[in-house]
C-alpha cells in the first residue's frame, strides 16, 4: 500500500517560494528520507503534510485520503505524528505528563499500554518519568519528543532533524531507536541534514533550493556522486 503521495507540491511564504513542484511517494513500512541543507524546503513539506501550512498548489494524500485543507488535529487523528525541529516539549511538565497529555485514543489503543511501549523503547524516559522536561539533557529531550509523538500510535511518524544538536553517539542512538520503531510496523518520514540517516533509508529524496535533485533507493542515494561530495566529503 502507498502510505503517502506528494504530487506537484508548491509551498510559499508570501512571495518566497520554499518548495517548487515536488512529487514523491513511498509505501507503508518504509523509512523515507528527505535529505538537504538548510533552506532546501524539507521543513515546509512536513508542515504542509501536518496541516500547519497551506500548499499554494499540488496535493498531499495519506493512504489514498486527501489531506489538503485538513487541520493539524484532523491529520493527527488520521494517524500521522509530527516531531518538529527543536523538540518543543513542555518544560514545566514531567516526562510522564508530557507523554500522557499527548495521548490520542485511536484503534482501541490503551494509554497505559502505549506508555509502557514508549518506556520500553526509551528506558531513560522511564527512569526520568517524574523529572521535569526542561531539566533533561538534549538527547533525553529528543527521546521525549519522539515518545510523545508515539502516544498517538501513529501509522506514519514524521521527524524533522532529530539528530540536530546531538553528539554523534546520541544521534546514532536516536537512529537506532527509529529503526526499532520502524521494525514494529510504523512508517517513517525522516528529514535530515545528517547523511548517516541514509543507513536507515529504504528510499529517499535529495532536495536543493526547494526542488528534487535526486530520488532513489538506499543504494542509489548512498552511491551518488552528489551525496559523496556534499555530505560524506569523499
Amino acid at each position: 500500500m502507498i502510505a503517502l503521495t506528494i504530487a506537484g507540491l508548491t509551498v510559499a511564504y508570501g512571495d518566497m517560494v520554499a518548495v517548487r513542484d515536488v512529487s514523491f511517494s513511498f509505501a507503508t513500512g518504509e523509512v523515507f528520507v528527505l535529505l538537504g541543507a538548510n533552506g532546501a524546503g524539507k521543513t515546509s513539506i512536513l508542515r504542509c503534510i501536518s496541516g500547519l501550512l497551506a500548499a499554494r498548489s499540488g496535493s498531499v494524500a495519506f493512504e489514498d485520503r486527501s489531506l489538503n485543507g485538513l487541520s493539524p488535529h484532523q491529520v493527527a487523528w488520521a494517524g500521522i505524528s509530527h516531531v518538529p525541529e527543536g523538540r518543543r516539549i513542555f518544560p514545566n511538565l514531567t516526562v510522564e505528563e508530557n507523554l500522557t497529555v499527548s495521548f490520542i485514543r485511536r484503534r482501541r489503543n490503551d494509554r497505559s499500554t502505549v506508555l509502557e511501549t514508549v518506556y520500553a523503547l526509551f528506558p531513560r524516559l522511564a527512569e526520568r518519568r517524574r523529572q521535569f522536561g526542561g531539566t533533561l539533557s538534549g538527547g533525553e529531550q529528543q527521546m521525549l519528543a519522539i515518545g510523545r509523538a508515539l502516544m498517538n500510535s501513529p501509522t506514519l511518524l514524521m521527524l524533522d532533524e532529530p539528530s540536530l544538536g546531538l553528539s554523534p553517539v546520541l544521534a546514532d542512538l536516536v537512529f537506532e531507536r527509529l529503526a526499532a520503531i520502524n521494525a514494529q510496523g510504523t512508517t517513517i518520514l525522516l528529514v535530515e541534514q545528517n547523511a548517516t540517516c541514509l543507513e536507515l533509508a529504504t528510499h529517499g529524496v535529495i532536495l536543493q533550493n526547494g526542488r528534487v535533485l535526486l530520488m532513489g533507493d538506499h543504494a542509489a542515494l548512498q552511491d551518488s556522486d552528489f551525496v559523496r561530495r556534499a555530505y560524506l566529503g569523499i
Side-chain angles (χ1 to χ4, degrees):
M1 175 186 285
I2 299 299
L4 190 81
T5 302
I6 303 285
L9 186 67
T10 295
V11 180
Y13 301 85
D15 293 332
M16 187 189 76
V17 178
V19 178
R20 301 172 184 271
D21 194 27
V22 166
S23 299
F24 61 82
S25 65
F26 54 88
T28 300
E30 287 200 55
V31 177
F32 193 88
V33 170
L34 299 180
L35 184 65
N38 278 335
K42 309 181 302 298
T43 294
S44 296
I45 291 173
L46 291 197
R47 287 173 59 82
C48 190
I49 296 169
S50 290
L52 296 167
L53 185 64
R56 175 170 288 182
S57 61
S59 63
V60 180
F62 175 58
E63 297 180 343
D64 295 327
R65 175 189 178 185
S66 174
L67 299 183
N68 290 50
L70 294 189
S71 66
H73 80 270
Q74 289 174 314
V75 173
W77 272 104
I80 299 176
S81 285
H82 182 177
V83 181
E85 181 183 345
R87 301 149 197 163
R88 301 186 189 181
I89 63 165
F90 300 110
N92 297 323
L93 298 182
T94 66
V95 166
E96 191 147 308
E97 287 168 341
N98 265 276
L99 294 172
T100 56
V101 77
S102 305
F103 175 73
I104 297 177
R105 187 174 298 283
R106 298 179 56 252
R107 301 185 300 180
R108 299 180 181 177
N109 55 349
D110 175 79
R111 187 173 70 175
S112 61
T113 301
V114 177
L115 185 62
E116 290 309 313
T117 299
V118 171
Y119 284 151
L121 278 165
F122 299 107
R124 186 72 61 85
L125 296 183
E127 296 169 6
R128 304 281 195 270
R129 66 175 70 196
R130 292 182 177 83
Q131 190 168 323
F132 288 111
T135 67
L136 300 178
S137 69
E140 290 167 345
Q141 288 189 12
Q142 187 62 67
M143 295 175 197
L144 180 55
I146 296 170
R148 186 176 60 182
L150 293 175
M151 293 299 293
N152 185 19
S153 299
T155 305
L156 173 62
L157 176 64
M158 307 194 302
L159 305 103
D160 195 349
E161 298 200 36
S163 72
L164 185 66
L166 301 184
S167 69
V169 171
L170 284 175
D172 287 346
L173 176 61
V174 167
F175 289 144
E176 176 190 303
R177 293 294 82 200
L178 292 181
I181 292 166
N182 178 245
Q184 293 177 355
T186 303
T187 306
I188 293 177
L189 175 56
L190 177 60
V191 158
E192 268 292 349
Q193 295 186 59
N194 183 348
T196 303
C197 69
L198 293 178
E199 296 291 338
L200 293 175
T202 46
H203 292 82
V205 163
I206 309 297
L207 291 170
Q208 188 175 52
N209 298 326
R211 299 181 185 274
V212 173
L213 180 68
L214 178 67
M215 184 183 306
D217 62 13
H218 169 90
L221 294 174
Q222 285 205 315
D223 292 343
S224 78
D225 289 338
F226 176 82
V227 171
R228 288 175 180 273
R229 290 194 311 270
Y231 294 97
L232 303 178
I234 58 177

